[in-house]
Amino acid sequence: MLAIVAVWWVASVVLFQGSGAIPTPPSVVAEFLDPQRWSSTVANATSTVTSAAQGYLWGNLAAIALAVLVLLVPRLEELANQIAIVSYCIPLVAIGPVIVVVAGRDAPSGASVVLAAMSVFFTTVVGCLVGLRAAPRASVDLVRAYGGTAWTTLRKVRVISALPSLFAALRIAAPAAFLGAILAEYLGSGGDSTLGRALIAAQTQSDAPLLWYLALVSGLISGVGYLLVGIVARIVTPWTSA
């Protein structure tokens, strides 16, 4: 971290002193110490985090439901894989404006929720499927030998085995959902009080310290989301903490 800050400082003073495209670290820290700036940032971040959380919830629920359906009905695996790959390959920057227009004024944050959900769908589908298929073969055979159905095997064996892989995917999905929400706001979703609109305003004004400040705040929020899911994973799956 010290090396990164040192390189950043040298670049801002030596290479970009005339243009001011890269601000000095003290100028960015000054933004963090401004109480008025913090109040506006909290208001903007609250709206963005709310949209990201909704998309995170719905996207992950859809991904887990699809993974479970594939496990119970193996014939749907090819179709499910195609759906997951298509959702991953569609450029969010290209489809974002379409979703913003479709959502319209009736649902100002609708596009933010949708892009956040799309950002997490593929990762969680893959993680959940890998985890469900990692169940010990001996345990699965034991349940079947005692007359257990596929649903019983899923509840008694596969869900427990899938938790580590699932939580690994959920941790990666947390920053991805936040990124999807900010991207949608940058394309016109979410109203005026969002981090995406704040980025647009700072870019329009060529306010480099403010832009870097907002970028660092966004990174911190994403890191907190990743950390929180990791803490939940340690509590729910203590046998994997080692």
Side-chain angles (χ1 to χ4, degrees), residues 106-210:
D106 296 335
S109 61
S112 301
V113 175
V114 172
L115 289 191
M118 291 182 63
S119 299
V120 307
F121 183 77
F122 178 79
T123 303
T124 305
V125 166
V126 173
C128 191
L129 276 176
V130 169
L132 290 173
R133 289 172 175 169
R137 185 66 184 178
S139 299
V140 174
D141 291 340
L142 179 64
V143 173
R144 291 177 177 174
Y146 278 91
T149 62
W151 179 251
T152 304
T153 305
L154 177 67
R155 291 188 297 109
K156 299 291 186 180
V157 179
R158 295 191 185 276
V159 169
I160 304 300
S161 300
L163 288 178
S165 296
L166 177 60
F167 274 111
L170 293 178
R171 275 188 289 180
I172 299 174
F178 187 74
L179 175 62
I182 286 187
L183 177 61
E185 293 167 358
Y186 199 81
L187 296 173
S189 174
D192 295 329
S193 297
T194 61
L195 285 177
R197 291 300 178 91
L199 284 168
I200 294 174
Q203 181 183 7
T204 304
Q205 299 168 5
S206 298
D207 191 340
L210 179 57

Side-chain angles (χ1 to χ4, degrees), residues 26 59 66 70 72 90 104 117 156 165 170 201 205 211 221 227 230:
L66 182 63
V70 167
L72 296 177
I90 293 178
K156 299 291 186 180
S165 296
L170 293 178
Q205 299 168 5
L211 272 174
I221 294 175
L227 179 63

Side-chain angles (χ1 to χ4, degrees), residues 19-104:
S19 63
I22 297 182
T24 60
S27 64
V28 177
V29 172
E31 298 288 342
F32 279 94
L33 300 178
D34 187 352
Q36 186 176 0
R37 181 72 68 195
W38 262 112
S39 62
S40 62
T41 302
V42 169
N44 294 333
T46 300
S47 177
T48 303
V49 170
T50 300
S51 299
Q54 293 178 6
Y56 181 82
L57 174 63
W58 291 114
N60 287 323
L61 286 178
I64 294 172
L66 182 63
V68 172
L69 183 62
V70 167
L71 196 68
L72 296 177
V73 187
R75 294 181 180 180
L76 298 178
E77 181 175 0
E78 183 177 355
L79 176 62
N81 288 335
Q82 291 176 357
I83 294 174
I85 292 174
V86 167
S87 69
Y88 179 74
C89 293
I90 293 178
L92 297 183
V93 176
I95 197 175
V98 177
I99 298 176
V100 170
V101 172
V102 171

